[in-house]
Amino acid sequence: MTYYRYRFSFGYGLTPVVKNLMIIMAVIFLLQKILEISLTDLYYYFTYYFALVPTLIWKNYFLWQLATYIFLHGGVFHLLFNLLALWMFGGELENYFGSKKFLRYFLFCGIGAGICTVLFTPNMYQHIPVIGASGAIYGTLLAFGWLFPNRPIYIYFLFPIPARYFVIIFGLIEFFSSMEGPGGGVAHLTHLGGLLFGLFYMAYPAIRQKIRREYYKRKWSQRGPGGKNYYH
């Protein structure tokens, strides 16, 4: 009988991409606060051009917002929560994926979350732009639960729950919350979009393999005697 021993630690460590992402987000947040306090007009234009505003993407083609909104945050606790989650789950994923693949995955989930927001709420966030890395963070959490399903995650640092159940619970919360629309300044659909794009990314290799298997199976079943092809 094989026994698996799970190591619990508070965060995996500051791997290169995780560290750089944290620094970039912190520096941009500091810039936001400086502009907000001393240069209000410039802060307005900064948010206008780099936050995610679906109507600007549809009408003005501000496509870069799908990526830049990830690095802006609305408050100290918003930033700290995302940085904490990135540190706790991102380091181990970067160690597993490698730095380049982890960065691609992080941006894929963040941009995918933005795409979901633009497609399904084109007119909802005209006056309150969407900002924050939460969509990418939820995608990171999805990958962690996918790769390490039995790894315990401690809720409030007290109650352990396997990672796969943790992801399912948060996914359901975001799903039902998104049906009620945005509340409390939280873009639940953006979070859900990060989860869905993360799920697609993680499941895609198995889906592609199954499609290829069915394709070759169908192709060989259509070959007749003497290696001739028969189509029907």
Side-chain angles (χ1 to χ4, degrees):
M1 182 179 295
T2 304
Y3 294 91
Y4 295 92
R5 181 178 300 173
Y6 291 99
R7 172 183 56 83
F8 172 74
S9 61
F10 189 75
Y12 188 83
L14 282 177
T15 50
V17 170
V18 168
K19 179 178 69 175
N20 290 332
L21 287 172
M22 293 177 71
I23 291 173
I24 292 171
M25 291 179 195
V27 169
I28 292 178
F29 179 74
L30 181 61
L31 175 62
Q32 285 180 260
K33 291 298 144 185
I34 292 174
L35 294 178
E36 185 179 12
I37 294 172
S38 57
L39 299 168
T40 307
D41 291 338
L42 188 57
Y43 171 75
Y44 169 79
Y45 285 107
F46 183 81
T47 305
Y48 177 83
Y49 279 102
F50 296 109
L52 180 62
V53 184
T55 53
L56 293 179
I57 292 180
W58 284 112
K59 296 179 180 179
N60 296 15
Y61 307 108
F62 285 11
L63 298 180
W64 62 83
Q65 292 185 348
L66 292 171
T68 56
Y69 88 99
I70 298 171
F71 301 97
L72 279 65
H73 289 83
V76 174
F77 289 106
H78 186 204
L79 174 69
L80 291 179
F81 176 82
N82 283 340
L83 293 185
L84 178 63
L86 179 61
W87 173 47
M88 291 183 65
F89 304 111
E92 190 146 10
L93 286 181
E94 183 177 346
N95 182 67
Y96 183 91
F97 282 143
S99 294
K100 291 183 178 180
K101 185 175 180 180
F102 171 72
L103 180 59
R104 288 198 301 268
Y105 177 79
F106 184 85
L107 294 176
F108 177 80
C109 292
I111 293 172
I115 290 173
C116 289
T117 305
V118 171
L119 289 178
F120 297 107
T121 57
N123 300 311
M124 186 173 293
Y125 300 102
Q126 297 184 57
H127 305 292
I128 307 177
V130 177
I131 55 177
S134 298
I137 294 297
Y138 271 77
T140 301
L141 179 60
L142 184 284
F144 187 90
W146 183 284
L147 295 172
F148 313 106
N150 295 319
R151 187 70 56 83
I153 297 177
Y154 284 76
I155 300 178
Y156 300 115
F157 311 108
L158 296 174
F159 309 105
I161 180 173
R164 63 179 182 273
Y165 297 131
F166 187 85
V167 172
I168 292 172
I169 291 172
F170 268 74
L172 291 174
I173 291 173
E174 294 303 325
F175 174 74
F176 289 111
S177 298
S178 65
M179 295 176 65
E180 298 175 358
V186 179
H188 297 290
L189 185 61
T190 308
H191 299 172
L192 188 61
L195 285 172
L196 292 177
F197 269 73
L199 179 62
F200 174 78
Y201 187 100
M202 299 304 295
Y204 177 72
I207 295 173
R208 182 181 60 181
Q209 184 178 12
K210 184 177 180 179
I211 293 174
R212 293 181 62 183
R213 188 185 301 117
E214 291 297 323
Y215 168 77
Y216 286 112
K217 182 179 179 180
R218 179 182 177 86
K219 182 177 180 180
W220 282 104
S221 68
Q222 292 173 344
R223 298 182 66 86
K228 296 181 180 180
N229 292 325
Y230 293 84
Y231 298 96
H232 50 275

